[in-house]
Amino acid sequence: MKPKYIFVTGGVISSLGKGLAAASLGALLEARNLTVGIQKLDPYLNVDPGTMSPFQHGEVFVTDDGAETDLDLGHYERFTNAKLTKKSNYTTGKIYDEVITKERRGDYLGGTVQVIPHITDEIKRCIRRGTGDVDVALVEIGGTVGDIESQPFLEAIRQFRYDIGPENVLYMHLTLVPYIKAAEELKTKPTQHSVKELRSIGIQPDIILCRSEQPLNRELKAKISLFCNLPPEAVFTALDVESIYEVPLSLHHEGLDDKVVSLLNIWTGAPRLGNWEQMLHKIKEPQHEVKIGIVGKYTALKESYKSLNEALVHGGIANNARVNLDYIDSEQLEELSAEKLEARFSGISGILVPGGFGNRGIEGKIKAINYARTHKIPMFGICLGMQLMAVEFARNCAKLNDANSSEFNPETTYPIIYLMKEWTTKDGSQTVTQNEDTPKGGTMRLGAHPCQLAPGSHARQAYDTDNISERHRHRYEFNNEYRDILEASGLQITGTHADRKLVEIIEINEHPWYLGCQFHPEFTSKPMKPHPLFVAFIKASLEQKQS
Ligand code: GLN
């Protein structure tokens, strides 16, 4: 029977790291030579996370096929080789959307359409087509057990065990075991309550993972076992660790993967974890250290730059360096005098301007970019960052004084970055049009697109290949009408979309490392396979520090 399913639920509170736990278990199973797939089911009503604010929901992660998904999918890709697609993330909104479409079409032949069985059937269908032909499919249910929103999902996974047989399904529940300082004790009561809740809807967890700042001893595990109706060997500590990349090893030392394969009746050898150990060693005992300034808008909320932060860590791993991040609110740079700007950037060896939307703080970012260009500090612009690098260059090098992106100033004389009004679809069959008033949902260039690199460029050097494919998520583009003028002033276009002639990478000469890319390289960086642009950027920043 393929695949076997592991359903991961969470109790007590959110943000316990359910996604990380699922991703880590996926990594451990892969280390045992099993193929894994991962899927996330989210109980909120938005049809996809694409239009949700990063303030509320953290980063929007983008897959190769252009799905805008929950940031946990980023963990899944960083930790495993699972192939993630549009089918890897379903929300309640999406499920209802499909059921209501079917109802309108008459597919239910006039029958009464209900949560059980119609919504739950649809959920089960999504689960079945979610992960493809793999040995083990991990399915994470978002939210916390007890939430009204997650009930249909829990009901669906309860039924699932009967549909495909108990030996093919495993329920893993993550809870919190808090340490109460005054009593000097770890408390199991919240876990008991949350499991009681789960059992009341008919799900008996096979494994309980207890998130805790201290290891649970044998007595505590026995207590949880007694109250939660499972053997003590099925209770594991998910210990707080310094680096997220320590989680797989920590869970392995607890014996989690051993238990999982034995419960699912899968026979494998011992896992090969040497590469995880080596990588972790580099993170924990690096030889160098470097400080990178991230100039952005959501700097108070690190979750909104999740993949970016990780990609910078990966770039550090490749260079044997600890990367310290200094988050700089771009708005606060706007008023600074030249000396104060200098002081703000002192000790920073590389500047990164990430992706973003909306007007706020734009001029501050341009100021930072100008600083990096004129002070010859390694500069990496991603998506919006690249667009603003082009704007800064146009204003100050090509002397196009009010140059801007039409996203921020529709009246600008020089729309260096603009909204494409019309284009032909990939297969040439359709002409798509849009303007500033087109509804925001689903109008972006999304997902993987090919890009050709120019010989001799920093980009070509970093990738060590001529043709690449990278993920996009943006509405605005570099305006080719200004290409000649900017190139005449020294801008180098070093990456272009082969058939659509879109500008994808810009650089300049006479600068140690100055590169902006229209795509999001951070989405495809992994600790074991750091992204070439992040490796090159950190390398240049380390050299900057040493010089
Ligand atoms: N706001 C810009 C655009 O839509 C950049 C988007 C981004 O950085 N992801 O093109």
Side-chain angles (χ1 to χ4, degrees):
M1 173 79 205
K2 240 177 152 185
K4 296 192 181 244
Y5 286 86
I6 301 175
F7 292 106
V8 184
T9 55
V12 186
I13 55 169
S14 60
S15 305
L16 286 180
K18 214 175 339 133
L20 262 178
S24 299
L25 178 54
L28 292 174
L29 296 175
E30 280 190 347
R32 288 172 177 264
N33 257 333
L34 298 169
T35 52
V36 305
I38 312 198
Q39 187 184 41
K40 177 152 194 213
L41 304 177
D42 276 311
Y44 48 79
L45 279 164
N46 306 60
V47 174
D48 64 49
T51 47
M52 293 169 86
S53 161
F55 278 124
Q56 269 189 32
H57 202 71
E59 157 190 286
V60 175
F61 185 77
V62 179
T63 60
D64 260 351
D65 69 344
E68 298 178 277
T69 72
D70 186 87
L71 57 79
D72 274 329
L73 271 80
H75 286 317
Y76 302 166
E77 282 207 342
R78 284 187 282 275
F79 278 67
T80 72
N81 297 308
K83 190 110 201 71
L84 298 186
T85 67
K86 292 196 161 123
K87 296 176 187 154
S88 308
N89 191 197
Y90 287 98
T91 64
T92 298
K94 183 130 205 137
I95 306 264
Y96 270 79
D97 198 37
E98 279 177 38
V99 170
I100 290 169
T101 306
K102 283 184 190 164
E103 189 274 332
R104 295 288 83 186
R105 226 171 30 214
D107 290 10
Y108 299 114
L109 305 172
T112 310
V113 183
Q114 295 175 298
V115 173
I116 304 172
H118 300 98
I119 295 295
T120 47
D121 279 355
E122 189 60 40
I123 294 172
K124 290 195 284 182
R125 243 191 305 279
C126 292
I127 294 173
R128 266 189 225 101
R129 65 178 169 219
T131 52
D133 184 26
V134 290
D135 295 322
V136 182
L138 287 132
V139 182
E140 177 191 349
I141 314 294
T144 308
V145 168
D147 296 347
I148 290 180
E149 291 91 342
S150 50
Q151 281 189 2
F153 288 106
L154 297 174
E155 169 59 17
I157 65 169
R158 181 194 68 76
Q159 295 170 13
F160 212 85
R161 180 172 238 170
Y162 290 93
D163 294 349
I164 70 165
E167 69 286 4
N168 299 314
V169 171
L170 191 152
Y171 300 112
M172 180 164 100
H173 189 56
L174 176 68
T175 71
L176 176 71
V177 176
Y179 178 73
I180 304 300
K181 263 211 191 95
E184 293 182 1
E185 245 185 298
L186 287 167
K187 290 295 185 187
T188 66
K189 191 73 88 189
T191 299
Q192 295 174 34
H193 278 293
S194 140
V195 171
K196 196 167 148 198
E197 190 87 41
L198 202 54
R199 292 176 66 204
S200 76
I201 46 180
I203 296 175
Q204 166 65 51
D206 302 297
I207 283 178
I208 297 182
L209 270 184
C210 304
R211 178 75 191 267
S212 173
E213 47 182 281
Q214 287 184 17
L216 274 65
N217 62 22
R218 207 180 298 168
E219 288 84 65
L220 275 177
K221 288 184 178 175
K223 189 169 174 191
I224 292 173
S225 147
L226 185 66
F227 281 94
C228 300
N229 192 36
L230 81 178
E233 315 83 63
V235 181
F236 299 94
T237 310
L239 198 62
D240 290 1
V241 282
E242 240 171 81
S243 158
I244 56 170
Y245 301 114
E246 213 172 328
V247 179
L249 293 173
S250 157
L251 292 176
H252 172 66
H253 290 138
E254 272 279 300
L256 176 69
D257 49 318
D258 242 354
K259 188 74 188 167
V260 166
V261 292
S262 98
L263 283 174
L264 286 175
N265 210 4
I266 306 175
W267 295 96
T268 76
R272 289 209 197 105
L273 293 164
N275 53 352
W276 279 92
E277 277 154 11
Q278 280 160 23
M279 182 257 294
L280 198 64
H281 177 75
K282 283 197 193 157
I283 292 183
K284 291 198 142 177
E285 279 157 60
Q287 279 167 355
H288 314 284
E289 202 164 355
V290 67
K291 188 149 136 198
I292 302 295
I294 298 182
V295 183
K297 172 162 98 170
Y298 305 110
T299 46
L301 238 182
K302 315 238 152 35
E303 288 282 285
S304 52
Y305 296 124
K306 194 90 210 165
S307 296
L308 183 70
N309 300 345
E310 296 310 321
L312 285 162
V313 172
H314 306 161
I317 295 174
N319 286 290
N320 219 328
R322 170 170 297 126
V323 178
N324 300 316
L325 304 180
D326 185 351
Y327 292 90
I328 302 168
D329 182 351
S330 57
E331 231 175 356
Q332 286 172 5
L333 296 181
E334 285 170 10
E335 303 305 318
L336 296 189
S337 63
E339 296 89 70
K340 289 219 167 108
L341 197 66
E342 185 111 35
R344 185 62 187 87
F345 282 122
S346 92
I348 287 178
S349 307
I351 296 178
L352 192 150
V353 177
F357 294 83
N359 230 328
R360 235 182 66 198
I362 290 301
E363 292 303 322
K365 291 180 193 177
I366 292 177
K367 206 165 170 179
I369 290 167
N370 178 268
Y371 184 89
R373 185 173 60 76
T374 51
H375 289 72
K376 301 211 186 304
I377 296 173
M379 167 75 217
F380 194 5
I382 294 177
C383 205
L384 175 65
M386 171 269 192
Q387 297 176 351
L388 296 179
M389 283 165 82
V391 168
E392 192 279 330
F393 189 88
R395 286 186 192 172
N396 300 315
C397 300
K399 304 291 174 222
L400 305 177
N401 54 347
D402 78 331
N404 213 328
S405 162
S406 63
E407 180 180 8
F408 311 121
N409 178 10
E411 256 74 71
T412 171
T413 330
Y414 310 108
I416 302 300
I417 307 295
Y418 78 135
L419 192 68
M420 279 207 307
K421 298 275 159 31
E422 200 177 289
W423 65 91
T424 327
T425 49
K426 252 188 198 161
D427 59 358
S429 65
Q430 240 187 320
T431 304
V432 189
T433 53
Q434 68 174 354
N435 61 39
E436 272 77 8
D437 303 322
T438 306
K440 294 254 182 288
T443 55
M444 285 198 263
R445 176 143 79 107
L446 283 170
H449 290 259
C451 169
Q452 232 167 40
L453 304 176
S457 59
H458 280 302
R460 173 66 183 74
Q461 201 180 359
Y463 281 99
D464 198 22
T465 175
D466 296 321
N467 292 291
I468 55 166
S469 165
E470 292 282 3
R471 296 181 192 173
H472 291 249
R473 180 172 186 259
H474 55 101
R475 238 173 240 117
Y476 294 79
E477 301 280 355
F478 183 98
N479 189 345
N480 276 327
E481 261 184 55
Y482 294 94
R483 197 171 156 161
D484 292 344
I485 309 180
L486 296 184
E487 280 182 320
S489 304
L491 189 75
Q492 303 200 309
I493 313 276
T494 61
T496 46
H497 189 295
D499 43 335
R500 283 171 67 187
K501 301 202 173 52
L502 299 168
V503 170
E504 308 283 34
I505 305 177
I506 58 171
E507 299 182 29
I508 55 170
N509 267 335
E510 285 160 36
H511 191 289
W513 206 88
Y514 191 85
L515 187 149
C517 55
Q518 183 59 79
F519 47 81
H520 288 275
E522 70 272 26
F523 290 145
T524 46
S525 187
K526 298 180 178 215
M528 238 73 91
K529 224 172 132 203
H531 191 286
L533 290 182
F534 283 92
V535 177
F537 173 58
I538 297 298
K539 181 163 178 271
S541 304
L542 276 167
E543 285 164 5
Q544 166 78 20
K545 186 187 171 192
Q546 274 139 24
S547 71

